[in-house]
Amino acid sequence: MGEAERGRARRGSRRAPFDVFWAAPESRAVWAELPEPVLAAIARLDAERLELERSRVAPRLREKITAPVYSVADRFASWERVVRRMEPGWSSEDFYPISAYDNDLDSRDSLDDLMQLLPTEAREGALGRLLAQLDARFRAASVPDPELTLRPWVRPTKEKPEAELGEWWKRKPVREPWD
């Protein structure tokens, strides 16, 4: 098979654009089991996010946006995917630039804020456990980076003192997941 055929085969096997949980099986499993009050709270947060995202585009485009790009589910799935990419044994032909990594770290930052807005049942239940497990796996697949060697390429979008940044900004992957 030539290079062009391999490229077409890869493109043909890509995920469906509406599947937020592509390559995030743990998040998919947790979402399938979330109780109704937690799902309702997530829906409220997603509705607020949708309005924010709509407010940032031209009026002619607003009604075409029907779901937030950065939904709660997407942020969990993004965090799971980056953790999986960093773990030993991950092999994928998906393009993953270093700029996507800092976007995923920003998404992880937002999960702390979102979790505080969810009911205790979510924080202490399956979502809280999922986040703790993903964070533990991230720590296992990364090493401290006190010199901040990735900072020229990986920077948080929110201005915060270094001391206030999450631990994920101060670690680097053992195995770099970007191309």
Side-chain angles (χ1 to χ4, degrees):
M1 180 183 291
E3 187 64 33
E5 289 85 10
R6 279 194 298 277
R8 279 193 295 278
R10 282 193 304 267
R11 283 190 297 276
S13 65
R14 287 218 165 126
R15 65 179 163 80
F18 57 87
D19 183 9
V20 71
F21 294 116
W22 66 273
E26 289 94 349
S27 295
R28 181 187 306 277
V30 165
W31 237 258
E33 301 297 323
L34 290 177
E36 187 54 42
V38 172
L39 290 172
I42 289 170
R44 284 190 297 278
L45 292 174
D46 284 347
E48 291 171 13
R49 181 65 198 192
L50 176 60
E51 288 311 309
L52 176 67
E53 291 178 15
R54 281 180 168 171
S55 74
R56 295 177 175 171
V57 299
R60 63 183 167 73
L61 299 176
R62 284 188 186 129
E63 295 310 311
K64 293 180 182 184
I65 301 172
T66 59
V69 173
Y70 293 106
S71 67
V72 176
D74 179 70
R75 292 167 195 244
F76 270 92
S78 292
W79 187 233
E80 179 178 342
R81 282 190 296 270
V82 75
V83 168
R84 290 169 56 86
R85 285 178 193 282
M86 290 170 51
E87 291 175 324
W90 172 268
S91 62
S92 174
E93 294 183 15
D94 287 344
F95 178 66
Y96 187 75
I98 197 166
S99 60
Y101 183 68
D102 66 9
N103 188 53
D104 288 332
L105 296 182
D106 273 332
S107 263
R108 174 57 188 87
D109 279 346
S110 70
L111 285 174
D112 282 338
D113 298 333
L114 292 171
M115 290 298 285
Q116 294 307 310
L117 299 172
L118 290 172
T120 303
E121 183 178 10
R123 292 190 304 275
E124 294 177 2
L127 276 182
R129 287 190 301 275
L130 174 63
L131 189 54
Q133 290 165 357
L134 293 173
D135 287 349
R137 288 169 54 193
F138 176 82
R139 282 188 294 279
S142 63
V143 293
D145 184 18
E147 296 85 27
L148 304 175
T149 59
L150 296 180
R151 193 61 86 234
W153 304 277
V154 179
R155 291 183 291 280
T157 56
K158 293 181 180 156
E159 294 289 325
K160 284 185 175 179
E162 196 68 38
E164 292 179 21
L165 292 174
E167 71 173 306
W168 36 93
W169 292 105
K170 300 168 190 153
R171 299 183 68 83
K172 62 183 177 183
V174 171
R175 183 185 149 291
E176 293 179 349
W178 43 86
D179 300 317

